[in-house]
Amino acid sequence: MPRKHVVRVLVVAALIGGLSPRAMAQGFSWWGYESVIEEIQDRGVLRVGLGLFAPWAACDADGELIGFEIEVATRLAEDMGVEVEFARTNWNYIIPSLIAEEFDVIISGMTILPERNLKVNFTSSYNQTGISLVANTDRTGGLETLEDFNSSSVTIATRRGASSIPAIENVFPDAMILLYDTDTEVLDAVVSAEADAAAAFASTGNSWVEANPDTLHLPFEEPFASEVLAIAARKGDHDALNFFNSWIAIRKADGWLEQHRQYWFDTREWEDLLATDPITIAECDASFQ
């Protein structure tokens, strides 16, 4: 067989076998290619992209990161025998930053969405949550049902690029959506009555109402949407996806994930650890701009 035909056959075989164009461009052996798993081990550091929103990730009084995802990423790195490094990223740019290889994975309360899955690979789910509506009491006193909030006269605030956006569009298609860069800005909008309500993860919404009982309330006992969350990785790396899925299965089976999920989502013990000093909070927020 002529040499050019051999090369063509090998390239086709590589594509069928799952090698991405990126992997082929970087070079590979006929038995496989170097996964990000090997890169992480060679580097000795797992680089994790995340956004800042409690209880997934937040700053404590010393300005250090704490939260469910911080513990997940730290344990994952420990099980890989490497250190962990967090890249705190504006949520609206977190997927482009992953694709640009600014970090290795996203571990940041990321909901699986079809439009996201077109750009990145998702692992199996390791957590799930609901999206709640938090309302300004003075502005929404007469609104009692989901349909009441589904009005062009109602404004709902949420974080830019968040999975709550398609949930709002699905349940409240007539409402106006106001987008902000951080959860802090979303909370400020609904507290100040710039928005009638805000859509946020259920645990976040509960903590907002508890902190502002005279201004905010939960108009509905149950979340208006539910979501499954997963680790996001770059496309074309099947070895990494296999490793992360296996790790999730193991930590589900031994109860580690559930134990830590219960602490961060079923209790409020961690709230005493959060930063309260305005300067510390401002420095944390500024790191995402």
Side-chain angles (χ1 to χ4, degrees), residues 40-41 43-46 74 76-84:
I40 293 167
Q41 291 177 312
R43 188 192 311 127
V45 176
L46 170 66
T74 300
L76 174 59
E78 178 185 324
D79 289 343
M80 294 181 71
V82 299
E83 301 296 320
V84 64

Side-chain angles (χ1 to χ4, degrees), residues 109-160:
M110 177 162 279
T111 302
I112 300 174
L113 294 175
E115 56 267 33
R116 289 175 177 169
N117 211 168
L118 292 172
K119 300 175 183 178
V120 299
N121 279 340
F122 283 110
T123 64
S124 55
S125 176
Y126 64 95
N127 193 12
Q128 66 180 66
T129 187
I131 299 179
S132 292
L133 202 66
V134 180
N136 182 290
T137 302
D138 289 341
R139 289 186 57 122
T140 61
L143 307 183
E144 299 179 352
T145 68
L146 290 175
E147 191 55 38
D148 288 338
F149 281 88
N150 183 31
S151 168
S152 59
S153 64
V154 173
T155 54
I156 302 177
T158 197
R159 188 162 34 83
R160 197 180 310 276

Side-chain angles (χ1 to χ4, degrees), residues 131-211:
I131 299 179
S132 292
L133 202 66
V134 180
N136 182 290
T137 302
D138 289 341
R139 289 186 57 122
T140 61
L143 307 183
E144 299 179 352
T145 68
L146 290 175
E147 191 55 38
D148 288 338
F149 281 88
N150 183 31
S151 168
S152 59
S153 64
V154 173
T155 54
I156 302 177
T158 197
R159 188 162 34 83
R160 197 180 310 276
S163 57
S164 52
I165 296 173
I168 296 170
E169 293 173 338
N170 181 52
V171 179
F172 309 107
D174 294 333
M176 179 182 295
I177 302 176
L178 303 179
L179 300 177
Y180 299 86
D181 286 332
T182 67
D183 273 3
T184 300
E185 292 174 318
V186 173
L187 173 59
D188 288 345
V190 69
V191 168
S192 67
E194 184 177 325
D196 298 309
F201 285 130
S203 57
T204 302
N206 291 338
S207 64
W208 286 354
V209 172
E210 290 175 7

